[in-house]
Coordinates of all heavy atoms in Angstrom, one line a residue:
M54 N 38.1 130.2 128.5 CA 39.1 129.6 127.6 C 38.3 128.9 126.4 O 37.3 128.2 126.7 CB 40.0 128.6 128.3 CG 40.8 127.8 127.4 SD 42.1 126.9 128.4 CE 41.1 125.5 128.9
V55 N 38.6 129.1 125.2 CA 38.0 128.5 124.1 C 38.9 127.4 123.6 O 40.0 127.5 123.3 CB 37.7 129.6 122.9 CG1 37.2 129.0 121.6 CG2 37.0 130.7 123.4
I56 N 38.2 126.2 123.4 CA 39.0 125.1 122.9 C 38.4 124.8 121.5 O 37.3 124.6 121.3 CB 38.7 123.9 123.8 CG1 39.3 124.1 125.1 CG2 39.4 122.7 123.1 CD1 39.0 123.0 126.2
N57 N 39.4 124.9 120.5 CA 39.0 124.5 119.1 C 39.2 123.0 119.0 O 40.3 122.6 118.8 CB 39.8 125.3 118.2 CG 39.5 126.8 118.1 OD1 38.3 127.1 118.5 ND2 40.4 127.6 117.7
M58 N 38.1 122.3 118.8 CA 38.2 120.8 118.7 C 37.9 120.5 117.2 O 36.8 120.6 116.7 CB 37.2 120.1 119.6 CG 37.3 118.7 119.6 SD 36.4 118.1 121.0 CE 36.3 116.4 120.4
T59 N 39.1 120.1 116.6 CA 38.9 119.8 115.1 C 38.5 118.2 115.0 O 38.8 117.5 115.9 CB 40.2 120.0 114.3 OG1 41.3 119.2 114.9 CG2 40.6 121.5 114.3
Q60 N 37.7 118.0 114.1 CA 37.2 116.6 113.9 C 36.9 116.4 112.4 O 36.9 117.5 111.7 CB 36.0 116.2 114.7 CG 34.8 117.2 114.6 CD 33.8 117.0 115.8 OE1 33.7 116.0 116.2 NE2 33.1 118.1 116.0
N61 N 36.8 115.2 112.0 CA 36.5 114.9 110.6 C 35.0 115.3 110.2 O 34.2 114.8 111.0 CB 36.8 113.5 110.3 CG 38.2 113.2 110.1 OD1 39.0 114.1 109.8 ND2 38.7 112.0 110.5
Y62 N 34.9 115.9 109.1 CA 33.5 116.2 108.6 C 33.3 115.5 107.2 O 34.2 115.7 106.4 CB 33.3 117.7 108.4 CG 33.0 118.5 109.6 CD1 33.9 118.7 110.6 CD2 31.7 118.8 110.0 CE1 33.6 119.4 111.8 CE2 31.3 119.5 111.1 CZ 32.4 119.8 112.0 OH 32.0 120.4 113.2
C63 N 32.2 114.9 107.0 CA 31.9 114.3 105.7 C 31.3 115.6 105.0 O 30.3 116.1 105.4 CB 30.9 113.2 105.8 SG 31.6 111.7 106.6
M64 N 31.8 115.8 103.7 CA 31.2 116.8 102.8 C 30.4 116.2 101.9 O 30.8 115.6 100.8 CB 32.5 117.6 102.1 CG 33.4 118.3 103.1 SD 34.8 119.0 102.2 CE 33.8 120.3 101.3
V65 N 29.0 116.4 102.1 CA 28.1 115.7 101.3 C 27.6 116.8 100.2 O 27.0 117.9 100.6 CB 26.8 115.3 102.1 CG1 25.7 114.7 101.1 CG2 27.3 114.1 103.0
N66 N 27.7 116.5 99.0 CA 27.3 117.4 97.8 C 25.7 117.4 97.9 O 25.2 116.3 97.7 CB 27.8 116.8 96.5 CG 27.5 117.7 95.3 OD1 26.3 118.1 95.1 ND2 28.4 118.0 94.5
Q67 N 25.1 118.5 98.0 CA 23.6 118.5 98.1 C 23.0 118.3 96.8 O 21.7 117.9 96.8 CB 23.1 119.8 98.8 CG 23.6 119.8 100.3 CD 23.3 121.2 100.9 OE1 23.6 122.3 100.5 NE2 22.5 121.0 102.1
T68 N 23.6 118.4 95.7 CA 23.0 118.1 94.4 C 23.0 116.6 94.1 O 22.0 116.0 93.7 CB 23.8 118.8 93.3 OG1 23.8 120.2 93.5 CG2 23.3 118.6 91.8
T69 N 24.1 115.8 94.5 CA 24.2 114.5 94.2 C 24.0 113.6 95.4 O 23.7 112.4 95.2 CB 25.6 114.2 93.7 OG1 26.6 114.4 94.6 CG2 25.9 114.9 92.4
N70 N 24.0 114.1 96.6 CA 23.9 113.4 97.9 C 25.1 112.4 98.1 O 24.9 111.5 98.8 CB 22.6 112.7 98.0 CG 21.4 113.7 98.3 OD1 21.6 114.6 98.9 ND2 20.2 113.3 97.6
I71 N 26.2 112.7 97.4 CA 27.3 111.8 97.6 C 28.4 112.6 98.5 O 28.6 113.7 98.3 CB 27.9 111.5 96.2 CG1 26.9 110.6 95.5 CG2 29.2 110.7 96.4 CD1 27.4 110.3 94.1
C72 N 29.0 111.8 99.4 CA 30.1 112.4 100.1 C 31.2 112.4 99.2 O 31.9 111.5 98.8 CB 30.4 111.4 101.3 SG 31.8 111.9 102.3
D73 N 31.7 113.8 98.9 CA 32.8 114.0 98.1 C 34.0 114.1 98.6 O 35.2 113.9 98.0 CB 32.5 115.3 97.3 CG 31.4 115.3 96.2 OD1 31.1 114.2 95.8 OD2 31.0 116.4 95.7
N74 N 34.2 114.3 99.9 CA 35.3 114.5 100.6 C 35.2 114.4 102.1 O 34.1 114.5 102.6 CB 36.0 115.9 100.3 CG 37.5 115.8 100.4 OD1 38.2 114.9 100.9 ND2 38.1 116.9 100.1
I75 N 36.3 114.2 102.9 CA 36.2 114.3 104.3 C 37.3 115.2 104.7 O 38.4 115.1 104.2 CB 36.5 112.9 104.9 CG1 35.3 111.9 104.6 CG2 36.6 113.0 106.4 CD1 35.5 110.5 105.0
T76 N 37.0 116.1 105.6 CA 37.9 117.3 105.9 C 38.0 117.3 107.4 O 37.0 117.2 108.1 CB 37.5 118.5 105.1 OG1 38.5 119.6 105.3 CG2 36.2 119.2 105.7
L77 N 39.1 117.8 107.8 CA 39.3 118.1 109.2 C 39.0 119.6 109.5 O 39.5 120.5 108.7 CB 40.8 117.9 109.6 CG 41.2 117.9 111.1 CD1 40.5 116.9 111.8 CD2 42.7 117.7 111.1
W78 N 38.1 119.9 110.3 CA 37.6 121.2 110.6 C 37.1 121.4 112.0 O 36.7 120.4 112.6 CB 36.4 121.4 109.6 CG 35.8 122.8 109.6 CD1 36.4 124.0 109.8 CD2 34.4 123.0 109.5 NE1 35.5 125.0 109.7 CE2 34.2 124.4 109.5 CE3 33.3 122.4 109.2 CZ2 33.0 125.1 109.3 CZ3 32.1 122.9 109.0 CH2 31.9 124.3 109.1
D79 N 37.1 122.6 112.6 CA 36.6 122.8 113.9 C 35.2 123.2 113.9 O 34.7 123.5 115.0 CB 37.5 123.9 114.6 CG 37.4 125.3 113.9 OD1 36.6 125.5 113.0 OD2 38.1 126.2 114.4
G80 N 34.5 123.2 112.7 CA 33.0 123.5 112.8 C 32.7 124.9 112.9 O 31.6 125.4 112.7
N81 N 33.7 125.8 112.8 CA 33.6 127.3 113.1 C 33.6 127.9 111.7 O 34.6 127.9 111.0 CB 34.7 127.8 114.0 CG 34.5 129.4 114.3 OD1 33.8 129.9 113.6 ND2 35.3 129.9 115.1
P82 N 32.4 128.5 111.2 CA 32.5 129.2 109.9 C 33.4 130.4 109.7 O 33.6 130.9 108.7 CB 31.1 129.5 109.6 CG 30.4 129.5 111.0 CD 31.1 128.5 111.8
N83 N 33.9 130.9 110.9 CA 34.8 132.0 111.0 C 36.2 131.6 110.7 O 37.0 132.3 110.2 CB 34.8 132.7 112.4 CG 33.4 133.4 112.6 OD1 32.8 133.9 111.7 ND2 32.9 133.3 113.9
T84 N 36.5 130.3 111.0 CA 38.0 129.9 110.5 C 38.0 129.2 109.2 O 39.0 129.2 108.5 CB 38.4 128.8 111.6 OG1 37.4 127.7 111.5 CG2 38.4 129.3 113.0
W85 N 36.8 128.7 108.7 CA 36.8 128.3 107.3 C 35.3 128.1 106.9 O 34.5 127.7 107.6 CB 37.4 126.9 107.1 CG 37.4 126.3 105.8 CD1 38.0 126.6 104.6 CD2 36.6 125.1 105.4 NE1 37.8 125.9 103.6 CE2 36.9 124.9 104.0 CE3 35.8 124.3 106.1 CZ2 36.3 123.8 103.3 CZ3 35.2 123.2 105.3 CH2 35.5 123.0 104.0
T86 N 35.0 128.5 105.7 CA 33.6 128.4 105.1 C 33.6 127.2 104.1 O 34.3 127.3 103.1 CB 33.1 129.8 104.5 OG1 33.3 130.8 105.5 CG2 31.7 129.7 104.1
P87 N 32.7 126.3 104.4 CA 32.6 125.1 103.4 C 32.1 125.7 102.0 O 31.4 126.7 101.9 CB 31.7 124.2 104.0 CG 31.6 124.5 105.4 CD 31.9 126.0 105.6
P88 N 32.4 124.9 101.0 CA 31.9 125.5 99.7 C 30.4 125.5 99.6 O 29.7 124.7 100.3 CB 32.5 124.5 98.7 CG 33.5 123.8 99.5 CD 33.2 123.9 100.9
P89 N 29.8 126.4 98.9 CA 28.4 126.4 98.7 C 27.8 125.1 98.3 O 28.5 124.4 97.4 CB 28.0 127.5 97.8 CG 29.3 128.3 97.6 CD 30.3 127.4 98.1
G90 N 26.7 124.6 98.7 CA 26.1 123.4 98.2 C 26.5 122.1 99.0 O 26.4 121.0 98.4
Y91 N 27.2 122.4 100.0 CA 27.7 121.1 100.7 C 27.1 121.0 102.1 O 27.0 122.1 102.8 CB 29.2 121.1 100.8 CG 29.9 120.6 99.7 CD1 30.2 121.4 98.5 CD2 30.1 119.2 99.5 CE1 30.7 120.9 97.3 CE2 30.7 118.7 98.4 CZ 31.0 119.5 97.3 OH 31.5 119.0 96.1
L92 N 26.8 120.0 102.5 CA 26.2 119.6 103.8 C 27.4 119.1 104.6 O 28.0 118.1 104.1 CB 25.0 118.6 103.8 CG 24.5 118.1 105.1 CD1 23.7 119.2 105.8 CD2 23.6 116.9 104.8
M93 N 27.7 119.6 105.7 CA 28.8 119.2 106.5 C 28.3 118.3 107.7 O 27.5 118.8 108.6 CB 29.6 120.4 107.0 CG 30.1 121.3 106.0 SD 31.2 120.6 104.8 CE 32.6 120.3 105.8
L94 N 28.7 117.1 107.8 CA 28.2 116.1 108.7 C 29.5 115.7 109.6 O 30.5 115.2 109.0 CB 27.6 114.9 108.1 CG 26.4 115.1 107.2 CD1 26.1 113.8 106.5 CD2 25.3 115.7 108.0
V95 N 29.4 115.7 110.9 CA 30.5 115.3 111.7 C 30.5 113.7 111.5 O 29.6 113.0 111.8 CB 30.1 115.6 113.2 CG1 31.3 115.0 114.1 CG2 30.0 117.1 113.5
Q96 N 31.6 113.3 111.1 CA 31.9 111.9 110.7 C 31.6 110.9 112.0 O 30.9 109.9 111.9 CB 33.2 111.5 110.1 CG 33.4 110.2 109.7 CD 34.9 110.0 109.2 OE1 35.8 110.5 109.6 NE2 35.0 109.2 108.2
A97 N 32.1 111.3 113.1 CA 32.0 110.6 114.3 C 30.6 110.4 114.8 O 30.3 109.4 115.5 CB 32.9 111.0 115.5
D98 N 29.8 111.3 114.4 CA 28.3 111.3 115.0 C 27.4 110.8 114.0 O 26.2 110.7 114.2 CB 27.9 112.6 115.4 CG 28.8 113.2 116.5 OD1 29.3 112.3 117.3 OD2 28.9 114.4 116.7
T99 N 27.8 110.5 112.7 CA 26.9 110.3 111.6 C 26.7 108.8 111.4 O 27.7 108.1 111.3 CB 27.3 110.9 110.3 OG1 27.4 112.3 110.5 CG2 26.3 110.7 109.2
M100 N 25.5 108.3 111.4 CA 25.1 106.8 111.2 C 25.4 106.6 109.8 O 25.2 107.3 108.8 CB 23.7 106.6 111.4 CG 23.3 105.1 111.4 SD 24.1 104.2 112.8 CE 23.3 104.9 114.2
A101 N 26.0 105.3 109.5 CA 26.2 104.9 108.2 C 25.8 103.4 108.1 O 25.9 102.6 109.1 CB 27.7 105.0 107.9
L102 N 25.4 102.9 106.8 CA 25.1 101.5 106.6 C 26.3 101.0 105.8 O 26.8 101.4 104.7 CB 23.9 101.4 105.7 CG 22.6 101.5 106.4 CD1 21.4 101.5 105.3 CD2 22.3 100.6 107.4
V103 N 26.9 99.9 106.6 CA 28.2 99.3 106.0 C 27.9 97.8 106.0 O 27.2 97.3 106.7 CB 29.4 99.8 106.7 CG1 29.8 101.2 106.5 CG2 29.3 99.4 108.2
W104 N 28.8 97.2 105.2 CA 28.8 95.7 105.1 C 29.5 95.1 106.4 O 30.6 95.4 106.6 CB 29.4 95.1 103.9 CG 28.7 95.5 102.6 CD1 29.0 96.4 101.7 CD2 27.3 95.0 102.2 NE1 28.0 96.4 100.7 CE2 27.0 95.5 101.0 CE3 26.4 94.0 102.8 CZ2 25.8 95.3 100.3 CZ3 25.3 93.8 102.2 CH2 24.9 94.4 101.0
L105 N 28.8 94.2 107.2 CA 29.3 93.6 108.2 C 28.9 92.1 108.2 O 27.9 91.6 107.8 CB 28.8 94.2 109.6 CG 29.2 95.6 109.9 CD1 28.6 96.0 111.3 CD2 30.7 95.7 110.1
W106 N 30.0 91.3 108.7 CA 29.7 89.9 108.7 C 28.8 89.4 109.8 O 29.0 89.9 111.0 CB 31.1 89.1 108.8 CG 31.0 87.7 109.0 CD1 31.2 86.9 110.0 CD2 30.8 86.9 107.9 NE1 31.0 85.5 109.6 CE2 30.7 85.5 108.3 CE3 30.5 87.0 106.5 CZ2 30.4 84.4 107.5 CZ3 30.2 86.0 105.7 CH2 30.2 84.6 106.1
D107 N 27.9 88.6 109.5 CA 26.8 88.1 110.5 C 27.1 86.7 110.5 O 26.7 85.9 109.7 CB 25.4 88.5 110.0 CG 24.3 88.1 111.0 OD1 24.7 87.2 111.8 OD2 23.4 88.7 111.0
A108 N 27.8 86.3 111.7 CA 28.1 84.9 111.8 C 26.9 83.9 112.0 O 27.0 82.7 111.7 CB 29.0 84.7 113.1
A109 N 25.8 84.5 112.5 CA 24.5 83.8 112.7 C 24.0 83.2 111.4 O 23.5 82.1 111.2 CB 23.5 84.5 113.5
I110 N 24.1 84.0 110.3 CA 23.6 83.7 109.0 C 24.6 83.3 108.0 O 24.4 83.0 106.8 CB 22.6 84.7 108.5 CG1 23.3 86.0 108.2 CG2 21.4 84.8 109.4 CD1 22.4 87.1 107.4
T111 N 26.0 83.5 108.4 CA 27.1 83.2 107.7 C 27.1 84.0 106.2 O 27.2 83.5 105.3 CB 27.5 81.8 107.4 OG1 26.4 81.1 106.7 CG2 27.8 81.0 108.7
D112 N 26.8 85.3 106.5 CA 26.7 86.2 105.2 C 26.9 87.7 105.7 O 26.8 87.9 106.9 CB 25.4 86.1 104.6 CG 25.4 86.5 103.1 OD1 26.4 87.0 102.6 OD2 24.3 86.6 102.5
Y113 N 27.2 88.5 104.7 CA 27.4 89.9 105.0 C 26.0 90.7 104.9 O 25.2 90.2 104.1 CB 28.3 90.6 103.9 CG 29.7 90.3 104.1 CD1 30.4 89.3 103.5 CD2 30.5 91.0 105.1 CE1 31.8 89.0 103.7 CE2 31.8 90.8 105.3 CZ 32.4 89.7 104.6 OH 33.7 89.5 104.8
V114 N 25.8 91.6 105.8 CA 24.6 92.3 105.9 C 24.9 93.7 106.0 O 26.0 94.1 106.6 CB 23.7 91.8 107.0 CG1 23.2 90.4 106.9 CG2 24.3 92.0 108.3
L115 N 24.0 94.5 105.5 CA 24.1 96.0 105.7 C 23.7 96.3 107.2 O 22.6 95.9 107.6 CB 23.2 96.9 104.7 CG 23.9 97.1 103.3 CD1 22.8 97.8 102.5 CD2 25.1 97.8 103.4
A116 N 24.5 96.9 107.9 CA 24.3 97.2 109.4 C 24.6 98.6 109.6 O 25.6 99.2 109.1 CB 25.1 96.3 110.2
Q117 N 24.0 99.2 110.6 CA 24.2 100.6 111.1 C 25.5 100.7 111.9 O 25.6 99.9 112.8 CB 23.1 101.2 111.8 CG 21.9 101.4 110.9 CD 20.8 102.2 111.7 OE1 20.5 101.8 112.8 NE2 20.1 103.1 111.0
E118 N 26.4 101.6 111.6 CA 27.5 101.9 112.4 C 27.8 103.4 112.5 O 27.7 104.0 111.4 CB 28.8 101.2 111.8 CG 28.8 99.7 111.8 CD 29.3 99.1 113.1 OE1 30.4 99.7 113.6 OE2 28.7 98.2 113.7
V119 N 27.9 103.9 113.6 CA 28.2 105.3 113.7 C 29.7 105.7 113.3 O 30.5 104.9 113.9 CB 27.9 105.8 115.2 CG1 28.2 107.2 115.3 CG2 26.4 105.6 115.5
G120 N 29.9 106.7 112.7 CA 31.3 107.1 112.4 C 32.0 106.4 111.2 O 33.1 106.6 111.0
Q121 N 31.2 105.6 110.4 CA 31.9 104.8 109.4 C 31.7 105.4 108.0 O 32.2 104.7 107.0 CB 31.5 103.4 109.4 CG 31.9 102.7 110.7 CD 33.3 102.6 111.1 OE1 34.1 102.3 110.2 NE2 33.7 103.0 112.2
G122 N 31.1 106.7 107.9 CA 30.9 107.2 106.6 C 32.3 107.5 105.9 O 33.2 107.9 106.5
Q123 N 32.3 107.3 104.6 CA 33.4 107.5 103.8 C 33.2 108.2 102.5 O 32.0 108.3 102.1 CB 34.1 106.1 103.4 CG 34.6 105.3 104.7 CD 35.6 106.0 105.4 OE1 36.6 106.7 104.9 NE2 35.6 105.9 106.8
I124 N 34.2 108.6 101.7 CA 34.1 109.2 100.4 C 33.4 108.3 99.5 O 33.7 107.0 99.6 CB 35.4 109.6 99.8 CG1 36.0 110.8 100.8 CG2 35.2 110.1 98.6 CD1 37.4 111.1 100.5
G125 N 32.3 108.7 98.8 CA 31.6 108.0 97.9 C 30.3 107.3 98.5 O 29.4 106.9 97.6
F126 N 30.2 107.4 99.7 CA 28.8 106.9 100.3 C 27.8 107.9 100.0 O 27.9 109.1 99.7 CB 29.0 106.9 101.9 CG 29.7 105.8 102.4 CD1 30.7 105.0 101.6 CD2 29.5 105.3 103.7 CE1 31.4 103.9 102.2 CE2 30.1 104.3 104.2 CZ 31.1 103.5 103.5
V127 N 26.5 107.4 99.9 CA 25.3 108.2 99.5 C 24.5 108.7 100.9 O 24.2 107.8 101.6 CB 24.4 107.4 98.5 CG1 23.2 108.2 98.2 CG2 25.2 107.0 97.3
W128 N 24.2 109.9 100.9 CA 23.4 110.4 102.0 C 22.0 110.4 101.6 O 21.4 110.8 100.6 CB 23.8 111.9 102.3 CG 23.0 112.5 103.3 CD1 22.2 113.6 103.0 CD2 23.0 112.3 104.6 NE1 21.5 114.0 104.3 CE2 22.1 113.3 105.3 CE3 23.6 111.4 105.6 CZ2 21.8 113.3 106.7 CZ3 23.4 111.5 106.9 CH2 22.5 112.4 107.4
N129 N 21.1 109.6 102.5 CA 19.7 109.6 102.2 C 18.9 110.5 103.1 O 17.7 110.3 103.1 CB 19.3 108.0 102.4 CG 19.3 107.6 103.9 OD1 19.5 108.3 104.8 ND2 18.9 106.3 104.1
G130 N 19.5 111.3 103.8 CA 18.8 112.3 104.7 C 18.9 111.9 106.2 O 18.5 112.6 107.1
T131 N 19.2 110.6 106.3 CA 19.2 110.1 107.7 C 20.8 109.4 108.0 O 21.2 109.5 109.1 CB 18.2 109.0 108.0 OG1 16.9 109.6 107.6 CG2 18.1 108.5 109.4
E132 N 21.2 108.8 107.0 CA 22.4 108.0 107.2 C 23.2 108.0 105.8 O 22.6 108.2 104.8 CB 22.1 106.6 107.6 CG 21.3 105.8 106.8 CD 20.6 104.7 107.4 OE1 20.7 104.5 108.6 OE2 19.7 104.1 106.8
L133 N 24.5 107.7 105.9 CA 25.3 107.5 104.8 C 25.4 106.1 104.5 O 25.4 105.2 105.3 CB 26.8 108.0 105.0 CG 26.9 109.5 105.1 CD1 28.3 109.9 105.8 CD2 26.9 110.2 103.8
I134 N 25.3 105.7 103.1 CA 25.0 104.3 102.7 C 26.4 104.0 101.8 O 26.6 104.6 100.9 CB 23.8 104.1 101.9 CG1 22.6 104.5 102.8 CG2 23.7 102.6 101.5 CD1 21.3 104.5 102.1
T135 N 27.0 102.8 102.1 CA 28.2 102.4 101.5 C 27.9 102.3 100.0 O 26.8 102.0 99.5 CB 28.8 101.1 102.0 OG1 29.9 100.8 101.2 CG2 27.8 100.0 101.8
N136 N 28.9 102.6 99.1 CA 28.8 102.5 97.8 C 29.6 101.2 97.3 O 29.7 100.8 96.1 CB 29.4 103.7 97.0 CG 30.9 103.9 97.3 OD1 31.4 103.5 98.4 ND2 31.7 104.6 96.5
E137 N 30.1 100.5 98.3 CA 30.8 99.2 98.0 C 29.8 98.1 97.7 O 28.7 97.9 98.5 CB 31.7 98.8 99.1 CG 32.8 99.8 99.4 CD 33.8 99.7 98.3 OE1 34.1 98.6 97.7 OE2 34.4 100.9 98.1
P138 N 30.1 97.2 96.7 CA 29.2 96.0 96.6 C 29.3 95.0 97.8 O 30.4 95.1 98.5 CB 29.7 95.5 95.3 CG 31.2 95.8 95.2 CD 31.3 97.2 95.8
K139 N 28.3 94.3 97.8 CA 28.3 93.2 99.0 C 29.5 92.3 98.7 O 29.8 91.8 97.7 CB 27.0 92.5 98.9 CG 26.9 91.3 100.0 CD 25.6 90.6 99.9 CE 25.5 89.6 101.0 NZ 24.2 88.9 100.9
P140 N 30.3 92.1 99.8 CA 31.4 91.3 99.7 C 31.1 89.8 99.5 O 30.0 89.4 100.0 CB 32.3 91.3 101.0 CG 31.6 92.6 101.6 CD 30.4 92.9 101.1
A141 N 31.9 89.1 98.9 CA 31.7 87.6 98.7 C 32.0 86.9 100.1 O 32.9 87.4 100.8 CB 32.5 86.9 97.8
P142 N 31.1 85.9 100.5 CA 31.4 85.3 101.7 C 32.8 84.6 101.7 O 33.3 84.2 100.7 CB 30.5 84.1 102.0 CG 29.3 84.6 101.0 CD 30.0 85.4 99.9
P143 N 33.6 84.5 102.8 CA 34.9 83.9 102.8 C 34.8 82.3 102.5 O 33.8 81.8 102.8 CB 35.4 84.1 104.2 CG 34.2 84.3 105.0 CD 33.1 85.0 104.1
K144 N 35.7 82.0 101.9 CA 35.8 80.4 101.5 C 36.1 79.7 102.9 O 36.9 80.2 103.7 CB 36.9 80.1 100.6 CG 36.5 80.8 99.2 CD 37.6 80.4 98.2 CE 37.2 81.0 96.9 NZ 38.3 80.8 95.8
P145 N 35.4 78.6 103.1 CA 35.7 77.8 104.4 C 37.2 77.3 104.4 O 37.8 76.9 103.4 CB 34.8 76.6 104.3 CG 34.0 76.8 103.0 CD 34.5 78.0 102.3
Q146 N 37.7 77.3 105.5 CA 39.1 76.8 105.8 C 39.1 75.3 105.9 O 38.2 74.8 106.6 CB 39.7 77.6 107.0 CG 39.8 79.0 106.8 CD 40.8 79.4 105.7 OE1 41.9 78.8 105.7 NE2 40.4 80.3 104.8
P147 N 40.0 74.6 105.4 CA 40.2 73.2 105.5 C 40.4 72.8 107.1 O 41.0 73.6 107.8 CB 41.2 72.8 104.7 CG 42.1 74.0 104.5 CD 41.1 75.2 104.6
T148 N 39.8 71.7 107.4 CA 40.1 71.3 108.8 C 40.7 69.9 108.8 O 40.6 69.3 107.9 CB 38.6 71.2 109.6 OG1 37.9 70.3 108.9 CG2 38.0 72.6 109.7
T149 N 41.4 69.7 109.9 CA 42.0 68.3 110.0 C 41.8 67.9 111.4 O 41.6 68.7 112.3 CB 43.6 68.5 109.7 OG1 44.1 69.4 110.8 CG2 43.9 68.9 108.4
E150 N 41.9 66.6 111.5 CA 41.7 66.0 112.9 C 43.0 65.1 113.2 O 43.5 64.5 112.2 CB 40.4 65.1 112.9 CG 39.2 66.0 112.7 CD 37.9 65.0 112.8 OE1 38.0 63.8 113.3 OE2 36.9 65.6 112.5
G151 N 43.3 65.0 114.4 CA 44.4 64.2 114.8 C 45.7 64.8 114.4 O 45.9 66.0 114.2
A152 N 46.8 64.0 114.4 CA 48.2 64.4 114.0 C 48.3 64.5 112.6 O 47.7 63.8 111.8 CB 49.2 63.4 114.7
Q153 N 49.2 65.5 112.2 CA 49.5 65.6 110.8 C 51.0 65.5 110.6 O 51.8 66.0 111.2 CB 49.0 67.0 110.3 CG 49.2 67.2 108.9 CD 48.6 68.5 108.5 OE1 48.3 69.4 109.4 NE2 48.5 68.9 107.2
S154 N 51.4 64.7 109.6 CA 52.8 64.4 109.3 C 53.1 65.4 108.1 O 52.5 65.7 107.3 CB 53.0 63.0 108.7 OG 52.7 62.0 109.7
L155 N 54.3 66.1 108.5 CA 54.9 67.0 107.5 C 56.1 66.5 106.8 O 56.9 65.8 107.3 CB 55.3 68.4 108.2 CG 54.1 69.0 108.9 CD1 54.5 70.3 109.6 CD2 53.1 69.6 107.9

């Protein structure tokens, strides 16, 4: 019995190294042939650098996450790197002590 397991693939343009698209595919070139000049990476298995909040330093840092590659990310030969700018840290929330009258 043959099971066709489709999954998301990041389509990386080999000229620009940019992920141009994400497509659902079973990985079988007999069912579909990717366009020439594209590297097909299984999204769920591909390492990506994305902005994550680091509470210890109260700032965003680029961190490795598997399966987080998206359209526009840049392939460096090892991982996809976000094209999003670093987010601004959240503004502190006001705190109150004791009872508050409304």
Side-chain angles (χ1 to χ4, degrees):
M54 178 166 76
V55 176
I56 298 174
N57 288 336
M58 188 166 162
T59 57
Q60 53 192 334
N61 286 333
Y62 280 78
C63 295
M64 297 179 65
V65 176
N66 182 313
Q67 291 179 307
T68 301
T69 63
N70 289 326
I71 294 174
C72 178
D73 285 345
N74 204 354
I75 296 175
T76 188
L77 191 61
W78 182 38
D79 64 5
N81 182 349
N83 293 324
T84 60
W85 179 70
T86 303
Y91 277 87
L92 175 64
M93 303 299 289
L94 302 171
V95 176
Q96 185 181 33
D98 298 338
T99 303
M100 189 64 69
L102 282 177
V103 294
W104 294 111
L105 294 178
W106 180 253
D107 185 335
I110 63 170
T111 61
D112 200 4
Y113 285 95
V114 295
L115 278 175
Q117 289 185 322
E118 289 278 312
V119 176
Q121 297 301 313
Q123 298 296 325
I124 294 172
F126 282 25
V127 178
W128 176 246
N129 70 2
T131 306
E132 57 203 356
L133 289 163
I134 303 170
T135 183
N136 60 333
E137 294 292 325
K139 182 178 179 179
K144 295 180 181 176
Q146 296 295 312
T148 58
T149 61
E150 293 182 15
Q153 184 177 11
S154 298
L155 299 176

